[in-house]
Structures are given as structure tokens and as C-alpha cells.
Amino acid sequence: MEKTFQDTIDKERKIMKNIRTNYQHTIYASYLGYITQAIVNNFAPLLFLTFQTTYHLSLRDITLITTVNFFVQLCVDLLSAKVIDHIGYRVAIVSAHFFAAVGLAGLAVFPAVFPSAYAGLMTAVVLYAIGGGIIEVLISPIVEACPTERKEAAMSLLHSFYCWGQCSLVLFSTIYFTLFGIEQWPVLACVWALVPLFNLFYFLLVPIYRTVEKHEQMSFVELLRQKVFWLLIVIMICAGASELAMSQWASAFAESALGVSKTMGDLAGPCAFAVLMGVARAFYGKCSERIPLKKFMIGCAVLCIGCYTLTMLADLPLLGLIGCAVCGFSVGIFWPGTFSIAAVKLPAGGTAMYALMALAGDIGCSSGPTVVGMVADSAGNNLKLGLGAAMIFPIVILVGLMILKTEKS
């Protein structure tokens, strides 16, 4: 009996030692980090119409949920450029998951305990947005610093877990709503909060590396003087806008503009969008050695423009849903691809570069859905016109990539 007990203790110690020294666990925790990010950004949009009817909110009120989420994330991105280097990567990433867990659980609790249900919702949004902002800044450089080969493939595969997280969120939530009813959504919010809670403890154990030591980093002023940095910033803004403009409104668009049921709308809209976005990232992770990154991104930009056009002009619901879904594939490479280009062009960029690029991406994530919501509201709740206005973002990406392609690299 004593020997069996000692064997168990020795086995647990070996597992713990492996977790603390094996960078693969760092990558696994980072995958869960992006799944957390997907939950933070996409759970509330599944409930937009439910919030609207339950709490008697206007379309502008609903739009502000997304706007505030990404506005807070971009504020965190801006502060992170200095703060994270001061407090360290581990403290920052653990804190991020704590805020995410409290914010997701707060969606269920705060509306009932705050004087205003809307104030409760927005408080929860602010809390999980703080976590989401830190996660967005740190996960990419943490994986970039791991001793892996084929960095572009590793980055693309990492970002695919955002998609698998979004897909799992939509599928599991849809099944849950079907079995227990949409009115039981607060319980589900608490269930999803368990994901960042688990990952909080995981990140306490795994080894964490840095892309470049602080004394070797390019200074903030030096970084801002690089012309290519500003071009990448513009592409990142439009990458976030192109992705979130469609994904945040896909569920509501399918229900209101196309007239399909919520279950079908969620599966054929945001779920199919997430699956194809993940497929694009996993595909490039496999084929990165054979397909030049910039050429692949240019082709995807053209495809994205076509998807927005189809979604805006299609009279048949099926065509509109196809436009939503294929748009997921077209935007998949924009975000990780831009990070990979930045890592090559500006290898000494350090934490500040990743923080500012995350800031740019979140500006896009905020402005894209906001443009759609505001244009749709001004046009009498016409989401087709709102989505049509968002076509400007992939057009700008295409122009920026063409400029980058002419440079020697």
C-alpha cells in the first residue's frame, strides 16, 4: 500500500516537473487562452436579441456592448506596452484570466444585483474585456518566444484555436439553448467562466519565455519611426474590423435580415464563420512552406470583398448565409499573418510592438461592428446596408498588402 502511494506521489511530481519545464504546455495553455478570448468576444453576441427583449434595450444599446468591449480592450492594449514589462508576463496573463472569469460570471449575476440591469451587463463586459485585452497582447509573443520551428505556421495554428473556441461556443450554446431554453443563459455564462478559471492555474505552472530581452528591445520612439510599422498598424485595424463586423452581426443578420430561426442562424452564421476561419488558419499552418504569406493574404482579401458583396446583395437567404460563412475563411489569415510579418520586419519590436498591434486590431474590432450597427440603425435597421459599409476594410487591407508585396523582404 505504501509503495503504491509513493508511486502515485512520484508520478504526480514527474507530471508537475514536466509542466514546469516543457514549452509544449506553454503552447497548450496559450491555445486555451485564445479559446478564452473567443468566449469573451462571442458569447454576448449570441444573446443580443435576448438582451434586447429581456432588458428592453435599443439597437444602439446592444451595439455599445461590442463597442465597449473592444474599447476597453484597446485601452488595456495601450497601457500594456509599459505595464506588462514592469509586472512580468506571468502575473499579467494570470490576472487576465481572473478578469475574464469574473466578467463572464458577472453577465449572469450583475444584472440582477445592480440598480440597472444594463449597468450590470456593461460592468461585466468591462471586466472580461480587461482580461481579453491582456490575453490578446500576450498570447502571441508568448508563443513566438517558444523554441519552435516554422514560426508563421505556429502563429497561424495558435490563432486557429480562437476559431475552434468560437465554434465550440456556438455549438455547445445552441445545444444548451435547445435543451434548456434561452432563458437559462445565466447558468451557461457561469459554465463558460470555468474555462479561464482553469487556465489561470495552468499559466501559474508552465514555463514562459520572452521574444526579446528588455535591454535588447527597440525603443518606443524607434518603433514609431518605422514606416512599415504604421502600414502594419493600418492593416491590423482593418483585419479586426473585417473579421468582427461580420462575426458579431452574423447571428442577428441571419435572424432579422434572412428570416431564419435562431438555431439555424447561429449554426449557419457565426458557427460556420468560425469553422471556416479556423480551417483557413490550420490550412496555412500546414502549407506555409509552399504558399508565400503575402500572396495568400492578398487572395483572401479579394475573397473577403466578394463575400461582403454577396452578403449585401443576395436576395436568397442561402446565398446570404454562404457569404457570411465563406467570409470566415477569407479573414482567417489577416490577424496572425500580420503578426508574422511584423515579427520578421521588426524582430526587436518586443512587448511594445505586440501591444500596439493588438491595440490596432482592437480598434478595428470595435469600429467594424460599430460601423455596421450605426449604418444599419440609420437605414431603418437594415443590416444588409450595414454590412455593405464594412466592405471598405478588406479593400484597405488589399491596398496595404500590395504595398508590402513591392518591398524587399
Side-chain angles (χ1 to χ4, degrees):
M1 178 69 74
E2 290 182 3
K3 184 177 181 181
T4 302
F5 179 74
Q6 186 61 45
D7 289 343
T8 302
I9 295 296
D10 291 342
K11 186 180 294 185
E12 288 180 353
R13 285 177 177 172
K14 186 176 181 181
I15 292 172
M16 291 298 292
K17 183 179 180 181
N18 185 48
I19 291 176
R20 292 183 184 277
T21 59
N22 190 340
Y23 72 87
Q24 283 296 335
H25 285 286
T26 309
I27 294 175
Y28 297 151
S30 299
Y31 291 163
L32 282 175
Y34 261 124
I35 290 173
T36 296
Q37 180 80 347
I39 296 169
V40 162
N41 287 341
N42 295 284
F43 181 62
L46 294 178
L47 299 165
F48 275 175
L49 296 184
T50 301
F51 290 159
Q52 191 173 18
T53 55
T54 303
Y55 301 124
H56 309 291
L57 306 177
S58 68
L59 192 59
R60 287 181 182 271
D61 292 332
I62 295 298
T63 299
L64 277 176
I65 292 176
T66 294
T67 305
V68 169
N69 176 26
F70 290 107
F71 177 76
V72 171
Q73 288 194 39
L74 67 88
C75 289
V76 170
D77 296 340
L78 186 60
L79 294 173
S80 294
K82 290 293 183 182
V83 175
I84 288 177
D85 277 334
H86 180 70
I87 67 175
Y89 277 17
R90 193 181 304 277
V91 172
I93 198 65
V94 168
S95 300
H97 285 81
F98 172 79
F99 281 114
V102 173
L104 287 168
L107 282 176
V109 177
F110 295 166
V113 300
F114 276 58
S116 163
Y118 189 59
L121 279 179
M122 296 307 288
T123 301
V125 169
V126 169
L127 287 173
Y128 69 56
I130 292 172
I134 300 172
I135 288 171
E136 185 56 55
V137 170
L138 276 185
I139 294 296
S140 291
I142 285 174
V143 171
E144 182 71 25
C146 288
T148 58
E149 298 179 353
R150 297 176 61 210
K151 295 291 186 179
E152 290 179 359
M155 189 65 68
S156 186
L157 184 60
L158 166 70
H159 283 258
S160 75
F161 275 84
Y162 179 93
C163 312
W164 308 136
Q166 183 180 356
C167 180
S168 300
L169 169 79
V170 175
L171 281 174
F172 186 85
S173 298
T174 299
I175 293 170
Y176 178 89
F177 294 147
T178 302
L179 293 176
F180 302 105
I182 191 72
E183 65 277 1
Q184 297 299 322
W185 69 265
V187 176
L188 186 60
C190 294
V191 171
W192 286 122
L194 296 176
V195 176
L197 185 62
F198 169 81
N199 214 30
L200 181 157
F201 293 103
Y202 201 7
F203 264 117
L204 283 171
L205 301 175
V206 302
I208 294 180
Y209 309 83
R210 298 180 66 94
T211 53
V212 58
E213 295 302 322
K214 284 192 284 187
H215 67 277
E216 297 174 343
Q217 287 183 183
M218 187 182 295
S219 73
F220 193 77
V221 174
E222 287 178 310
L223 183 63
L224 297 183
R225 287 175 178 167
Q226 305 298 315
K227 293 180 180 179
V228 69
F229 170 74
W230 289 106
L231 180 56
L232 291 168
I233 287 292
V234 171
I235 294 175
M236 278 298 293
I237 290 173
C238 294
S242 298
E243 178 182 327
L244 271 292
M246 183 66 78
S247 68
Q248 293 283 293
W249 285 105
S251 179
F253 171 73
E255 286 185 71
S256 62
L258 302 180
V260 301
S261 67
K262 176 170 178 56
T263 299
M264 179 59 69
D266 287 349
L267 291 176
C271 185
F273 180 97
V275 169
L276 288 178
M277 185 163 66
V279 167
R281 290 173 175 176
F283 169 79
Y284 191 75
K286 285 285 187 181
C287 303
S288 60
E289 292 182 330
R290 299 193 299 273
I291 306 175
L293 177 60
K294 292 174 189 174
K295 287 184 178 180
F296 186 66
M297 291 178 70
I298 287 171
C300 286
V302 173
L303 178 61
C304 187
I305 294 168
C307 290
Y308 270 100
T309 301
L310 179 61
T311 302
M312 178 180 64
L313 299 179
D315 292 326
L316 296 175
L318 178 60
L319 291 178
L321 290 174
I322 289 173
C324 287
V326 178
C327 186
F329 184 93
S330 70
V331 302
I333 194 60
F334 291 161
W335 194 289
T338 308
F339 268 117
S340 293
I341 292 172
V344 172
K345 294 278 188 181
L346 302 165
T351 306
M353 181 185 75
Y354 285 99
L356 292 175
M357 289 190 66
L359 169 65
D362 285 334
I363 289 174
C365 289
S366 176
S367 60
T370 300
V371 166
V372 173
M374 294 302 181
V375 171
D377 188 74
S378 299
N381 291 342
N382 190 329
L383 279 175
K384 284 190 174 185
L385 288 180
L387 289 169
M391 195 190 307
I392 184 64
F393 302 118
I395 292 175
V396 173
I397 289 176
L398 179 60
V399 173
L401 289 170
M402 294 301 292
I403 295 173
L404 280 174
K405 191 172 181 293
T406 61
E407 296 184 347
K408 294 181 180 179
S409 57

